[in-house]
Amino acid sequence: MSRAERASLQQFSVSGLAAAVLAENGTVESWADTARDLLGWTAEQTCGRPARELLADPDAWPGPVEGCPGPGWEGELTLRHVDGSEVPVGLRVLALHDRGDGRGHARSRLVLGARAELLDLWRQSHSLVEGLFTQQRIGLAVFDPEMRIVRSNLPILSYTGVPADLDGLRLKDVTQPEDAQQLEGWLHLIMTTGEPVLGATLRVRTLADARQGALLSMSGFRLQSPRGQLMGTAAAFTDITEQEQAGKRLKLLHRATAILGAELSAPRTCEDLARVLVPDFADRVLVGLAEEVLRGDEPVVNRDGELLVTRTAVVGADPATLPTTGRVTVPPRGGTEPGGVLLADLPDRAAAGPGRGAAGSAERHWTPHMPGAHSALSAPLRARGAFLGTVTLWRTGVSAPYGREDLALLEEIAARTGLAVDNARRYHREHRAAVSLQRSLLPPATASSAAVETASLYLPAGAGGGGVSGDWFDVIPLSSARIGLVVGDVVGHGLQATVTMGRLRTAVRTLADLDLDPEELLSHLDDLVTQLDVATSDEGRHQARESLGATCLYAVYDPVTRRCTLSSAGHPPPALVTPDGDVRYVEVHPGPPLGVSSLPFEPVEIAVPPGSVLALYTDGLVEPRRGDIDDGMAELRRALRATDPVRRPLAATVEHFRTSLPDEPLSDDVTLLLARTRAIDAGDTAAWTLDPDPASVPEARELALGQLDAWGLDAMAFTTELVTSELITNAVRYGGGGPVELRLTRADTLICEVSDLSSTQPRMRRARATDEGGRGLYLVAQLTERWGSRYTRRGKTIWTEQVLAPPGAEAWL
């Protein structure tokens, strides 16, 4: 039988195939048992008879003996069963050549047949199998019991250098050993248990390329003969690499979106970006931003259209191997193209440089040389039409090279990063303006006067707390060597809170200049806050999104009496550190915060030993991010006791608090004001009570001159004599008839005070040439450093201050 005949016979193989041999004259020579099973006729009944007699319709026979179905004929005839029924049968006729006579003529014919319905079913199954092995969507493979490939298509591996004909090969001959071992493990499990495997996931990498692999979903089942003999396994493979990559890219995009912008800091945003890309998307990452962006300003492009970027974040590589700066060509402003570039096959190209990418695009990216990298991606960081910097990724080792899908993902992440960086830049600019305004409104960090020595700490809140809030403190010189100490906290954050703080600080200084008592000053300040809130427009209130509420503590310390009077509007109490080392909180009676209600504020007066330290603060110092204010106040008390500000420099205590704060951005402003109290000795103060009589004027001059002589201040005698004379004269003339008090105090200035029972404030005016009076206060103002008037519980006090003359100075004439 020829090869073609055997192939034809193989194609006709079907279960229950009947066979018979016909002679040249069309008679039956041989009748197989399968033919008997098909038609019921035995060999004795059929052999020697014409085959056409077996047809249900003898006239349907194809022709005479010499024209009977020839070699290779195939068709369908209806045969007659022994019981008389008709059986549709599909037939195949094959010529049997006689090789003995040397002529090779066909003498007999082999006839194969099967029921037509079985043959149709077999043809459908055969067409299905052939169709499966010729399609390119699903990989199929048949393995023998020794796990050799019998038949396959495996289109999923065709791009990695796998031989076209895999028949007879083992898996280890084409795939990586560990991948072959995993796949053979599944096949062995199928053959030994007989249980099919559905949807098993495995990675297959070929020997030709260990980097490029395919993620396959395998389903397999065991093959066995009708008698149960193991014939091998069949497996179907589906390439799910793209689905896996798409899922990974989507997860990476979601993770990057969640992380980016969490911190309103451009450098930290770049660091977050680099960390989220390594190692899932890149082996090396470099992020560069324009120096102006890091400062919160708009990036500046030079005349050549280039932008200088500074290395901001590096992950996966040694920063020392990368340049700190680089230049990129900035595209026209307002472009909408993503502008990323894919740099592949780096080792096969020239040294790193902008010319390796697509023309017109690579020069817009900073892509320094990265040793060991085989492919790279770079994309710009842009937002609102501004070019802010670039991000560059490299892959090394066995990582798969980048593709266009990876570039699209990087461009999307870079676009979101650009928005986060620009938001951080804008916040940094506003935060810088708010901090600058805040600091410009605060007094010097250290100060010294006759009443106190002060040191202070102010740290603005970071992005996590919403930005700068309205904390402030102040040290206000008052009359008679007294000092006013203020600390306050405005509700809210940002520039609006800073502006409100500036308003309140100015108001406190103005009210303090009137020498109001602390509780009275807070009442006026509360009225002012309420009026400001009412006077604010609806648009302004919407922009502020917060009311003008605030807390405030105001204290007045008198170094002569060594007493401190204070009042609180919803503010934490100050701490008092006495010379014996004891630390306690002053028991104040805090009223409501400013702008909340019109309830009165209560004063508290305490004795303060000289050398004690008053600690005024805002809640940012005693309210940790996740803690209780009582714990914070207890910690402040322990820190004050440990740092001993009474004996050590106040600056050392301030520095201790500065270094003890966490490195992370503060959630609220931190303000601390330390004031070490001083006292004016009794010998530096002299006071007299005079009668409301004009004769008291020369007496007052004599008393003042005598005290100056005792203090060694003869150089100030003339001015002091004139000032005393004018003030006593006014008190006698307009003081309401009661006694007049004169007091001189030697502190850092010479203070002269005259008190009377009148509540009428003096008013300085410019006297006309014909006026006989009205020049006294004008002369006083010209001759002294400062002067003023304050109300007392029994009238008023007019005071002046003169700068102390240096020793040996002559009297002014």
Side-chain angles (χ1 to χ4, degrees):
M1 186 181 297
S2 66
R3 177 177 300 179
E5 292 171 336
R6 288 197 301 270
S8 179
L9 182 62
Q10 180 182 5
Q11 293 178 0
F12 203 74
S13 59
V14 66
S15 178
L17 188 64
V21 177
L22 302 183
E24 287 182 318
N25 58 3
T27 60
V28 178
E29 285 188 348
S30 178
W31 190 259
D33 292 340
T34 54
R36 182 194 60 189
D37 296 336
L38 177 63
L39 298 176
W41 301 98
T42 64
E44 292 78 8
Q45 294 173 317
T46 58
C47 287
R49 295 177 57 185
R52 64 187 304 166
E53 295 180 0
L54 298 176
L55 272 64
D57 182 9
D59 295 334
W61 184 250
V65 174
E66 60 274 11
C68 72
W73 181 88
E74 181 177 350
E76 184 174 324
L77 297 174
T78 302
L79 303 183
R80 182 167 50 86
H81 196 271
V82 69
D83 59 5
S85 62
E86 296 180 354
V87 180
V89 177
L91 297 176
R92 164 80 68 175
V93 179
L94 301 175
L96 298 178
H97 295 278
D98 180 13
R99 300 297 180 182
D101 59 4
R103 294 178 298 174
H105 294 296
R107 296 180 55 194
S108 302
R109 292 171 176 81
L110 174 64
V111 180
L112 302 175
R115 288 182 177 273
E117 63 270 18
L118 293 180
L119 186 59
D120 290 340
L121 181 61
W122 175 87
R123 286 170 178 166
Q124 293 174 359
S125 300
H126 179 75
S127 177
L128 172 64
V129 172
E130 292 300 319
L132 288 174
F133 273 97
T134 56
Q135 56 82 38
Q136 298 295 314
R137 300 288 296 178
I138 301 176
L140 297 174
V142 177
F143 300 88
D144 64 12
E146 285 73 32
M147 300 184 192
R148 287 188 296 266
I149 301 175
V150 176
R151 188 180 182 186
S152 68
N153 61 348
L154 295 182
I156 50 182
L157 299 178
S158 60
Y159 59 91
T160 56
V162 176
D165 186 7
L166 300 178
D167 295 351
L169 298 179
R170 298 287 297 268
L171 290 171
K172 64 181 180 180
D173 297 329
V174 293
T175 63
Q176 293 291 322
E178 56 270 25
D179 299 340
Q181 183 179 2
Q182 182 184 14
L183 181 52
E184 288 183 349
W186 284 111
L187 297 178
H188 178 74
L189 179 65
I190 294 172
M191 287 189 290
T192 54
T193 63
E195 294 293 331
V197 171
L198 301 177
T201 302
L202 47 91
R203 177 79 58 181
V204 176
R205 296 164 298 160
T206 65
L207 295 175
D209 188 356
R211 298 181 310 175
Q212 184 74 2
L215 185 67
L216 306 180
S217 175
M218 185 198 78
S219 297
F221 55 92
R222 185 168 65 178
L223 299 177
Q224 59 187 20
S225 67
R227 289 177 291 183
Q229 183 181 1
L230 176 65
M231 299 178 63
T233 57
F237 300 90
T238 303
D239 189 352
I240 59 173
T241 306
E242 183 55 36
Q243 293 92 316
E244 178 205 30
Q245 295 299 327
K248 286 184 177 179
R249 287 192 289 266
L250 185 59
K251 289 181 180 179
L252 180 64
L253 181 60
H254 288 171
R255 190 163 69 253
T257 303
I259 293 176
L260 295 174
E263 296 286 347
L264 285 176
S265 167
R268 292 194 179 185
T269 298
C270 293
E271 293 172 1
D272 291 341
L273 169 65
R275 281 194 292 266
V276 81
L277 294 177
V278 176
D280 293 340
F281 195 52
D283 298 314
R284 311 278 191 272
V285 173
L286 168 65
V287 185
L289 292 180
E291 185 66 29
E292 295 83 4
V293 175
L294 296 173
R295 296 196 302 265
D297 301 325
E298 289 280 350
V300 178
V301 181
N302 63 17
R303 295 180 179 178
D304 298 328
E306 295 178 336
L307 182 68
L308 180 65
V309 296
T310 301
R311 185 183 70 202
T312 308
V314 177
V315 173
D318 184 4
T321 62
L322 296 172
T324 57
T325 60
R327 293 187 180 276
V328 297
T329 301
V330 179
R333 191 176 181 90
T336 58
E337 292 296 325
V341 63
L342 170 62
L343 305 174
D345 300 330
L346 296 184
D348 299 333
R349 296 180 180 267
R356 294 177 298 131
S361 62
E363 63 271 15
R364 295 204 289 260
H365 300 269
W366 185 26
T367 55
H369 175 62
M370 177 62 65
H374 56 73
S375 63
L377 294 177
S378 190
L381 302 178
R382 294 189 296 188
R384 303 176 179 94
F387 195 99
L388 308 176
T390 62
V391 54
T392 304
L393 283 60
W394 291 272
R395 279 184 177 173
T396 62
V398 298
S399 301
Y402 286 117
R404 289 294 170 184
E405 297 82 2
D406 298 320
L407 178 60
L409 174 61
L410 178 61
E411 289 173 342
E412 179 64 25
I413 294 177
R416 303 188 184 194
T417 304
L419 287 175
V421 169
D422 193 56
N423 290 337
R425 179 189 67 82
R426 291 167 178 261
Y427 167 78
H428 180 70
R429 182 175 59 187
E430 180 178 336
H431 183 266
R432 182 181 59 191
V435 171
S436 298
L437 177 60
Q438 186 98 336
R439 293 190 184 278
S440 68
L441 295 175
L442 296 178
T446 59
S448 180
S449 66
V452 293
E453 172 193 359
T454 63
S456 59
L457 170 66
Y458 170 73
L459 296 175
V468 177
S469 59
D471 291 15
W472 92 94
F473 66 93
D474 208 348
V475 180
I476 306 174
L478 302 176
S479 62
S480 304
R482 296 172 305 142
I483 201 77
L485 303 175
V486 189
V487 64
D489 186 358
V490 174
V491 174
H493 297 269
L495 201 58
Q496 179 67 27
T498 302
V499 172
T500 303
M501 180 275 290
R503 289 178 171 181
L504 296 184
R505 179 176 182 268
T506 302
V508 170
R509 275 191 164 264
T510 302
L511 294 172
D513 191 55
L514 299 177
D515 275 313
L516 301 177
D517 291 335
E519 71 277 11
E520 188 176 357
L521 183 145
L522 291 182
S523 295
H524 284 287
L525 193 63
D526 181 63
D527 293 339
L528 175 63
V529 170
T530 303
Q531 294 173 12
L532 287 175
D533 198 11
V534 172
T536 302
S537 65
D538 293 338
E539 180 181 358
R541 191 179 294 107
H542 175 72
Q543 291 177 352
R545 297 188 302 273
E546 292 164 340
S547 67
L548 294 176
T551 63
C552 184
L553 175 72
Y554 181 64
V556 175
Y557 172 68
D558 190 342
V560 177
T561 62
R562 305 173 187 180
R563 300 190 70 82
C564 180
T565 305
L566 50 94
S567 186
S568 171
H571 203 82
L576 176 63
V577 185
T578 56
D580 59 2
D582 180 51
V583 181
R584 63 182 178 88
Y585 288 100
V586 179
E587 294 184 2
V588 299
H589 306 288
L594 300 174
V596 174
S597 70
S598 57
L599 294 177
F601 300 95
E602 298 185 27
V604 173
E605 185 174 345
I606 60 172
V608 181
S612 300
V613 173
L614 280 168
L616 286 71
Y617 53 91
T618 56
D619 55 4
L621 184 67
V622 294
E623 281 188 348
R625 188 181 297 269
R626 294 182 182 86
D628 186 86
I629 188 172
D630 293 334
D631 296 336
M633 294 180 67
E635 179 60 31
L636 173 61
R637 184 174 182 178
R638 287 191 294 268
L640 289 173
R641 184 179 291 110
T643 55
D644 193 13
V646 173
R647 296 171 180 80
R648 298 181 61 195
L650 295 180
T653 300
V654 169
E655 187 61 25
H656 168 78
F657 282 97
R658 185 191 306 275
T659 56
S660 63
L661 293 173
D663 295 334
E664 59 188 19
L666 299 173
S667 59
D668 195 5
D669 286 4
V670 171
T671 303
L672 174 64
L673 175 61
L674 299 178
R676 182 185 288 125
T677 61
R678 293 170 174 170
I680 296 178
D681 295 335
D684 290 327
T685 301
W688 304 274
T689 301
L690 304 175
D691 295 330
D693 188 276
S696 299
V697 176
E699 180 184 358
R701 288 199 298 264
E702 293 297 327
L703 292 173
L705 292 176
Q707 188 61 52
L708 292 180
D709 181 64
W711 285 341
L713 299 177
D714 295 333
M716 307 178 66
F718 178 81
T719 302
T720 305
E721 182 182 14
L722 180 59
V723 169
T724 302
S725 178
E726 291 294 336
L727 296 182
I728 293 296
T729 299
N730 287 339
V732 170
R733 185 175 297 176
Y734 308 110
V740 177
E741 295 183 1
L742 170 65
R743 187 171 75 168
L744 295 179
T745 302
R746 181 180 64 176
D748 50 357
T749 60
L750 178 62
I751 303 169
C752 178
E753 297 175 282
V754 175
S755 303
D756 57 47
L757 300 182
S758 173
S759 59
T760 302
Q761 289 283 352
R763 182 172 60 90
M764 185 177 63
R765 61 185 177 89
R766 187 179 296 274
R768 292 174 295 182
T770 58
D771 290 344
E772 296 181 359
R775 299 176 179 84
L777 285 181
Y778 179 79
L779 292 175
V780 169
Q782 296 299 313
L783 295 175
T784 59
E785 183 73 15
R786 290 199 313 154
W787 79 279
S789 177
R790 67 175 183 270
Y791 289 109
T792 63
R793 288 180 172 83
R794 299 180 56 194
K796 70 174 182 299
T797 297
I798 303 175
W799 55 269
T800 65
E801 291 185 4
Q802 303 176 59
V803 178
L804 293 176
E810 297 182 357
W812 180 83
L813 296 176

